[in-house]
Amino acid sequence: MARSYNPPTVWKPFGAFSMVKIHEGGQLVHLKGQVSLDREGRLVGKGDMRAQVRQTLENIKAVLAAIGGEMADIVSLTQYATDIEQFMAAGDIRKEFFFEPYPVTTTVQIMRLYHPDLQIEITAIAEIPRNRFRMPED
């Protein structure tokens, strides 16, 4: 399991993130960037950042669950948004998926993703406790 730390020597986090997340011996996994596609590969939430954030986080949750992980196991997120204001306004949705201690995050605004209707892509690094981790079968 990883633990979070917010040093008093820098600014206090203002949202659902921590300054540092320290590994403590679990299974480290890197998740491919997820977007708001459903199981059949269809776009969810065209023109709706909130719907896209929710679907993207649901996809991350599903990928982790398939190998024994949980959202609380996420150590780090990198978030790419086509509209930073709309993405930040969806912070309440992110708080439905993450609780303290929050993962560290980096959020950047980009011009577009690989499909023009996509507004958000999120990639994650997680540390799953070894007693829960399930190696996928080929």
Side-chain angles (χ1 to χ4, degrees):
M1 195 69 160
R3 69 180 182 97
S4 293
Y5 176 59
N6 293 310
T9 54
V10 296
W11 51 279
K12 183 178 178 181
F14 55 82
F17 62 91
S18 296
M19 291 294 186
V20 178
K21 197 99 180 204
I22 302 165
H23 301 286
E24 295 183 351
Q27 179 65 47
L28 194 62
V29 296
H30 297 258
L31 280 67
K32 181 232 176 282
Q34 291 294 313
V35 294
S36 63
L37 299 179
D38 67 14
R39 189 174 180 154
E40 286 75 38
R42 295 178 302 231
L43 177 71
V44 173
K46 180 178 179 180
D48 184 346
M49 177 67 81
R50 295 178 65 77
Q52 290 199 22
V53 167
R54 183 175 303 284
Q55 181 64 46
T56 299
L57 292 172
E58 288 289 353
N59 289 348
I60 290 170
K61 185 176 178 179
V63 170
L64 285 172
I67 56 174
E70 301 171 355
M71 295 299 275
D73 298 328
I74 293 177
V75 175
S76 176
L77 296 168
T78 303
Q79 305 167 127
Y80 303 94
T82 59
D83 185 318
I84 199 77
E85 284 84 17
Q86 285 186 35
F87 178 75
M88 296 304 288
D92 59 314
I93 294 171
R94 293 191 313 275
K95 287 184 177 180
E96 293 174 22
F97 289 85
F98 299 103
F99 305 95
E100 290 190 42
Y102 297 118
V104 299
T105 63
T106 298
T107 305
V108 294
Q109 181 168 303
I110 58 172
M111 288 186 61
R112 72 168 270 200
L113 292 161
Y114 72 90
H115 188 284
D117 292 332
L118 290 170
Q119 297 177 294
I120 183 74
E121 182 168 345
I122 303 175
T123 186
I125 299 171
E127 182 182 14
I128 302 171
R130 292 192 187 274
N131 64 330
R132 270 198 282 114
F133 178 77
R134 292 188 307 269
M135 182 64 77
E137 296 182 20
D138 293 331

